Amino acid sequence: MAVIGLFALFTVGACLDRGFEESASLDPELVSALSTAGVEPLGSPPAPSRELVELGRLLMFDKILSGNKNISCGTCHHPSYHSTDNLALAIGTGGLHAGATRQVLSAHLSARNTSDLYNRGLLEWNSLFWDGRVARVGATLRTPAGSALPAGVTSLLVAQAMFPVVARDEMRGYPGDTTSIGEPNELAPYPDDDWQPVWQGLTHRVLAIPAYVLLFRAAFPSVDSASLGFEHVAIALAAFESSTFTLLDSPFDRYLAGDRTALSDSAKRGALLFYGRGQCSRCHSGSLMTDQEFHNIGVPPLERPGVDSLDQGRGAVSGSSVDRFAFRTPPLRNVSVTGPWMHDGVYSTLEAAVKHYRDPSQSLQEYEPAQLDSRYRGLYHPSESDNQRILASLDPLVSRPLSLSEGDVADLVAFLRTLTDPRALNQVRIIPAQVPSGLPVFR
């Protein structure tokens, strides 16, 4: 028995040694690939004041910012679901409950999957939203509001926070709506392109609450109350998002910092595929793992009830036929926990999303909607003419089939899972028990 035990220990030890040698042998090639791709550790953004972050935290979960007082930013960007909702398409104003448990009822569906909030406060960003309608060009911010954007909006993340509240499907509601407490929705009658009255109305709502007046005074001590506008609400929201959802301690981050044991052999092989033969880094490039450009990759389309046309993506913003069905390359930090995947959430597993790239044209035409949550299956209406419209502007980068074996897919997924910071798995503690308006946080 003693001899067998020693032999077993020797065998296990030898296997461990070989495993370590295999892992170590992958490092020089991977380190070189990362260097060639310009991937470096990300730095944290400047830390905002605690008072500003706390104000933003309360506003994030306060339904006072919605026209019908029945949905907050946190309803869809839910900490329990990793700053998103784990739904294919977001369920907007008029729904019930929050996050993945949200029910449609009389709600309006968003056209798109809820983007996560991770690392959006970093200075490297030049555009936000799936269609890039909020962008920075040099020192100039370009947004749907044009010259109506308040002068105090100076960053992308602040600019982004200005727009969900004016979108009817997301938070504002429609003419004739009543609020959750039986009042007329005074924000709904304004025309869709009349931004200022909606922002002013929301600011008036917030500052009519004494507790918020004190919180704003603490967060903006040099700003007179009469000078406060919705841009200050947006600044607080952005400060909370940046402070809370900047997470840069994933295994991949630790590997970039020099810890060669942070990745498994499978993840290292996946990384080499990602930056090599798999061609993923052509779009998911740089330290943010996105080129921040727009690509039509042949994603199967979902069509909302009452909406006749397919989602044009970037094409609806630029007006260019070249941009039809193109969407901004999403960043991949924490990607393993922010599904379902793609701009309309049609893939319910990370493996399925990766396999799409083997042959996007085939994936589009052979898509199986059974993987969708039952709430969304009825939104998939396969049409050869629609498929051909999408394929007509398919990005050349994905126009040729890619040879990826099942093992390759498994290794790529193993690598993608290393992009998740453990802190993203449990952020429920940031949800306040109550908010100054007195409206229920979640219901």
Side-chain angles (χ1 to χ4, degrees), residues 133-214:
R133 62 187 181 274
V134 169
R136 184 181 64 245
V137 181
T140 302
L141 288 176
R142 292 184 181 174
T143 76
S147 60
L149 191 73
V153 177
T154 59
S155 80
L156 273 181
L157 194 57
V158 174
Q160 181 277 331
M162 300 288 292
F163 292 98
V165 296
V166 297
R168 294 193 182 278
D169 290 347
E170 292 186 54
M171 295 183 73
R172 180 152 72 111
Y174 288 80
D177 284 355
T178 57
T179 72
S180 60
I181 55 177
E183 307 165 326
N185 179 346
E186 82 281 14
L187 305 177
Y190 297 108
D192 289 350
D193 58 354
D194 199 358
W195 316 92
Q196 290 289 356
V198 181
W199 288 329
Q200 291 168 359
L202 287 168
T203 305
H204 176 76
R205 275 190 186 183
V206 170
L207 294 180
I209 300 169
Y212 270 129
V213 174
L214 295 176

Side-chain angles (χ1 to χ4, degrees), residues 103-421:
Q103 299 175 10
V104 177
L105 296 184
S106 62
H108 298 273
L109 284 174
S110 167
R112 295 168 189 162
N113 179 259
T114 299
S115 296
D116 67 85
L117 300 178
Y118 294 115
N119 304 327
R120 296 308 197 275
L122 301 180
L123 300 179
E124 289 88 345
W125 289 99
N126 61 39
S127 70
L128 293 174
F129 289 111
W130 280 107
D131 56 13
R133 62 187 181 274
V134 169
R136 184 181 64 245
V137 181
T140 302
L141 288 176
R142 292 184 181 174
T143 76
S147 60
L149 191 73
V153 177
T154 59
S155 80
L156 273 181
L157 194 57
V158 174
Q160 181 277 331
M162 300 288 292
F163 292 98
V165 296
V166 297
R168 294 193 182 278
D169 290 347
E170 292 186 54
M171 295 183 73
R172 180 152 72 111
Y174 288 80
D177 284 355
T178 57
T179 72
S180 60
I181 55 177
E183 307 165 326
N185 179 346
E186 82 281 14
L187 305 177
Y190 297 108
D192 289 350
D193 58 354
D194 199 358
W195 316 92
Q196 290 289 356
V198 181
W199 288 329
Q200 291 168 359
L202 287 168
T203 305
H204 176 76
R205 275 190 186 183
V206 170
L207 294 180
I209 300 169
Y212 270 129
V213 174
L214 295 176
L215 287 162
F216 271 90
R217 190 175 298 160
F220 298 97
S222 62
V223 180
D224 184 80
S225 295
S227 301
L228 290 169
F230 194 79
E231 64 269 29
H232 296 94
V233 173
I235 289 168
L237 287 168
F240 169 72
E241 293 173 19
S242 179
S243 174
T244 305
F245 296 109
T246 298
L247 302 180
L248 302 173
D249 191 29
S250 68
F252 183 58
D253 289 306
R254 295 196 293 274
Y255 189 87
L256 291 178
D259 181 0
R260 301 296 176 243
T261 67
L263 304 186
S264 68
D265 287 351
S266 178
K268 289 178 183 179
R269 291 193 300 268
L272 287 170
L273 278 167
F274 188 94
Y275 290 101
R277 179 168 57 84
Q279 304 177 16
C280 312
S281 63
R282 291 195 297 182
C283 297
H284 294 286
S285 58
S287 299
L288 287 176
M289 306 189 84
T290 169
D291 59 3
Q292 303 191 62
E293 298 295 336
F294 304 89
H295 303 276
N296 173 4
I297 60 170
V299 175
L302 298 184
E303 300 179 38
R304 292 179 297 160
V307 178
D308 296 328
S309 60
L310 297 175
D311 188 345
Q312 299 289 306
R314 180 64 177 175
V317 175
S318 70
S320 171
S321 60
V322 176
D323 290 331
R324 287 177 186 163
F325 315 116
F327 296 86
R328 194 185 56 136
T329 304
L332 296 180
R333 300 305 181 105
N334 303 295
V335 68
S336 67
V337 296
T338 56
W341 292 270
M342 304 301 184
H343 72 270
D344 54 359
V346 290
Y347 290 117
S348 58
T349 69
L350 197 52
E351 288 82 356
V354 171
K355 288 180 179 179
H356 174 85
Y357 292 94
R358 285 171 159 172
D359 189 342
S361 176
Q362 182 179 7
S363 295
L364 169 64
Q365 297 178 82
E366 298 180 0
Y367 177 71
E368 178 49 65
Q371 64 186 285
L372 284 169
D373 183 296
S374 60
R375 287 169 284 189
Y376 299 96
R377 289 174 197 161
L379 303 181
Y380 178 65
H381 306 287
S383 160
E384 182 60 27
S385 61
D386 284 347
N387 288 345
Q388 291 309 311
R389 288 174 61 201
I390 294 171
L391 293 174
S393 59
L394 189 70
D395 197 299
L397 290 175
V398 296
S399 61
R400 294 182 179 180
L402 187 64
S403 178
L404 290 175
S405 68
E406 291 298 312
D408 290 339
V409 171
D411 286 340
L412 280 167
V413 170
F415 169 61
L416 294 175
R417 294 191 188 285
T418 71
L419 305 178
T420 296
D421 187 313

Side-chain angles (χ1 to χ4, degrees), residues 59-126:
L59 289 166
M60 182 81 177
F61 297 97
D62 201 330
K63 296 175 181 177
I64 196 72
L65 295 187
S66 64
N68 294 337
K69 301 182 182 179
N70 62 359
I71 187 171
S72 71
C73 305
T75 300
C76 296
H77 296 288
H78 199 300
S80 295
Y81 302 98
H82 322 296
S83 81
T84 180
D85 54 17
N86 289 171
L87 298 174
L89 303 178
I91 298 173
T93 186
L96 185 66
H97 305 312
T101 65
R102 191 157 174 77
Q103 299 175 10
V104 177
L105 296 184
S106 62
H108 298 273
L109 284 174
S110 167
R112 295 168 189 162
N113 179 259
T114 299
S115 296
D116 67 85
L117 300 178
Y118 294 115
N119 304 327
R120 296 308 197 275
L122 301 180
L123 300 179
E124 289 88 345
W125 289 99
N126 61 39

